[in-house]
């Protein structure tokens, strides 16, 4: 029978990237810079889509939601690390760790669903353009985002409750810069079979499902683009989804690379370093990918920042 003390966990230790105190200022300023760029870039995307009536379309509605999720996603993991470095501490409370797990799973699943919804939007726009305004009306767009939130919240509640049932012993060091679900589960001294099963099923359904939808959508999109007779028409059709395809590739390739490398190597510090790619770098690059490859976003940003006067635009459905 497990002792009473096994469940009385008050805090964990986040080991981060390095024990070397001389590297801590460099890590602090590096991550602070990336965090500020992430927040500023995504916030500008949100403000541009709200302020410019020309961007009041389903595609940019989903993009603004993705930018909001990316801000929350990065804030959940990076801010605690920055505070710990500043305070020269590695401690995160038990409640804080469970909260971080909850929001991490919430926002990573939301990212998956929003990318899938954006792929569906491009699929309807290119493959069924005559039905686009009906199929992607504001009511449908709102329901798609609401459904994504509901599923993500329910999954996060489930994962959080599954962690709460675990007992922890004396080894409370997490070789990561945030409370990553698998790392915390593997610290438990109680049986984790059910937890591992739930995580595996959730990964297949909530990551594999949206990815399958994205791949199906782009197969149909490519088929439709190939059927367009003019080269200019093909280029125009492809350019409407090039930014989204770049973001999808970056998100899934970095995330898949992290988990494949963690399955191959036993070096948890290397896995933590690789995790920076999809937890920090990807949300930071998303605004640049959309703004650099999208003339509508660039024009809206120039008007937002006061570079050029914006002509009145007719609001799109």
């Amino acid at each position: 029978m497990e002792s009473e003390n096994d469940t009385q966990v008050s805090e964990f230790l986040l080991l981060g990237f390095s024990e070397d105190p001389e590297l801590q200022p460099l890590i602090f300023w590096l991550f602070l810079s990336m965090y500020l760029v992430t927040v500023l870039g995504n916030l500008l995307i949100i403000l541009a889509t709200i302020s410019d009536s020309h961007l009041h379309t389903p595609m940019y509605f989903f993009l603004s939601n993705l930018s909001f999720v990316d801000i929350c996603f990065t804030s959940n993991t990076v801010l605690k690390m920055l505070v710990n470095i500043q305070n020269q501490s590695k401690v995160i409370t038990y409640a804080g760790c469970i909260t971080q797990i909850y929001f991490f799973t919430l926002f990573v699943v939301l990212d998956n669903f929003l990318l899938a919804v954006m792929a569906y939007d491009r699929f309807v726009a290119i493959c069924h353009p005559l039905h686009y305004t009906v199929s992607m009306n504001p009511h449908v767009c709102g329901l798609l985002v609401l459904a994504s939130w509901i599923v993500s919240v329910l999954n996060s509640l489930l994962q959080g409750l599954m962690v709460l049932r675990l007992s922890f012993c004396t080894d409370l060091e997490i070789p990561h810069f945030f409370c990553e679900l698998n790392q915390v589960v593997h610290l438990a001294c109680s049986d984790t079979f059910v937890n591992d099963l739930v995580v595996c099923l959730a990964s297949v359904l909530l990551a594999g499902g949206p990815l399958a939808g994205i791949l199906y959508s782009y197969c149909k999109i490519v088929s439709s683009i190939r059927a367009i007779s003019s080269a200019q028409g093909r280029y125009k059709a492809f350019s409407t989804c090039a930014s989204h395809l770049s973001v999808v590739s970056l998100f899934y390739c970095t995330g898949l690379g992290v988990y494949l490398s963690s399955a191959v190597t036993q070096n948890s510090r290397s896995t933590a370093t690789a995790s920076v790619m999809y937890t920090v770098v990807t949300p930071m690059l998303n605004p640049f990918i959309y703004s650099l490859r999208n003339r509508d976003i660039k024009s809206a940003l120039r008007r937002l920042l006061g570079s050029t006067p914006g002509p009145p635009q007719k609001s799109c459905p």
Side-chain angles (χ1 to χ4, degrees):
M1 183 174 180
E2 292 174 351
S3 66
E4 187 72 18
N5 289 335
D6 287 346
T7 58
Q8 301 303 312
V9 177
S10 61
E11 60 188 30
F12 293 94
L13 296 179
L14 295 173
L15 300 184
F17 299 103
S18 173
E19 300 283 350
D20 188 351
E22 294 183 358
L23 288 178
Q24 299 309 305
L26 175 62
I27 294 173
F28 177 84
W29 288 111
L30 176 62
F31 276 84
L32 179 61
S33 301
M34 290 193 293
Y35 176 70
L36 293 177
V37 170
T38 300
V39 172
L40 179 60
N42 284 287
L43 190 59
L44 284 175
I45 294 291
I46 295 171
L47 293 176
T49 55
I50 292 174
S51 63
D52 196 321
S53 60
H54 185 59
L55 301 184
H56 292 176
T57 63
M59 180 173 68
Y60 297 111
F61 170 69
F62 297 136
L63 175 60
S64 62
N65 276 272
L66 181 67
S67 294
F68 172 74
V69 170
D70 281 344
I71 291 174
C72 297
F73 185 33
T74 306
S75 299
N76 179 56
T77 56
V78 173
L79 285 181
K80 178 58 179 174
M81 182 190 69
L82 294 176
V83 170
N84 278 5
I85 293 176
Q86 188 68 18
N87 295 335
Q88 297 183 353
S89 168
K90 297 180 182 296
V91 172
I92 183 170
T93 64
Y94 177 76
C97 190
I98 299 297
T99 302
Q100 202 171 59
I101 288 173
Y102 173 83
F103 283 110
F104 177 81
T105 54
L106 169 64
F107 294 127
V108 76
V109 171
L110 257 177
D111 257 340
N112 277 279
F113 277 110
L114 287 175
L115 289 173
V117 167
M118 293 171 76
Y120 175 70
D121 171 72
R122 293 299 84 206
F123 162 73
V124 177
I126 294 174
C127 300
H128 305 284
L130 297 180
H131 302 285
Y132 182 75
T133 54
V134 175
S135 300
M136 299 302 294
N137 63 69
H139 180 67
V140 171
C141 294
L143 285 178
L144 288 171
V145 172
L146 179 61
S148 300
W149 273 95
I150 291 174
V151 174
S152 302
V153 167
L154 292 177
N155 172 67
S156 296
L157 282 173
L158 175 61
Q159 301 294 350
L161 291 173
M162 292 300 294
V163 175
L164 286 173
R165 64 181 285 275
L166 296 175
S167 300
F168 296 91
C169 301
T170 56
D171 184 14
L172 302 177
E173 294 184 344
I174 303 173
H176 218 298
F177 66 97
F178 67 95
C179 285
E180 201 268 336
L181 178 59
N182 286 328
Q183 298 276 357
V184 175
V185 168
H186 291 155
L187 289 180
C189 54
S190 56
D191 181 42
T192 62
F193 173 77
V194 178
N195 292 73
D196 292 334
L197 181 62
V198 169
V199 170
C200 183
L201 290 175
S203 299
V204 171
L205 294 175
L206 303 181
L211 179 58
I214 291 170
L215 294 175
Y216 175 80
S217 296
Y218 274 103
C219 286
K220 292 294 185 181
I221 288 171
V222 170
S223 179
S224 296
I225 290 176
R226 289 179 62 186
I228 298 175
S229 57
S230 68
Q232 184 178 1
R234 288 195 296 270
Y235 174 79
K236 184 178 179 180
F238 179 77
S239 64
T240 63
C241 54
S243 296
H244 175 257
L245 188 58
S246 301
V247 170
V248 166
S249 301
L250 184 63
F251 179 79
Y252 280 101
C253 288
T254 54
L256 187 61
V258 168
Y259 283 98
L260 287 178
S261 65
S262 65
V264 173
T265 180
Q266 299 299 316
N267 190 335
S268 299
R269 287 287 177 85
S270 298
T271 302
T273 304
S275 297
V276 175
M277 287 302 298
Y278 77 96
T279 58
V280 182
V281 176
T282 298
M284 180 182 69
L285 293 180
N286 286 352
F288 293 99
I289 292 173
Y290 273 100
S291 61
L292 292 176
R293 298 182 63 90
N294 191 302
R295 285 180 295 180
D296 292 334
I297 289 288
K298 286 192 286 188
S299 299
L301 288 174
R302 281 196 295 267
R303 287 192 285 272
L304 177 67
L305 298 174
S307 298
T308 59
Q313 301 284 350
K314 183 179 179 181
S315 179
C316 298

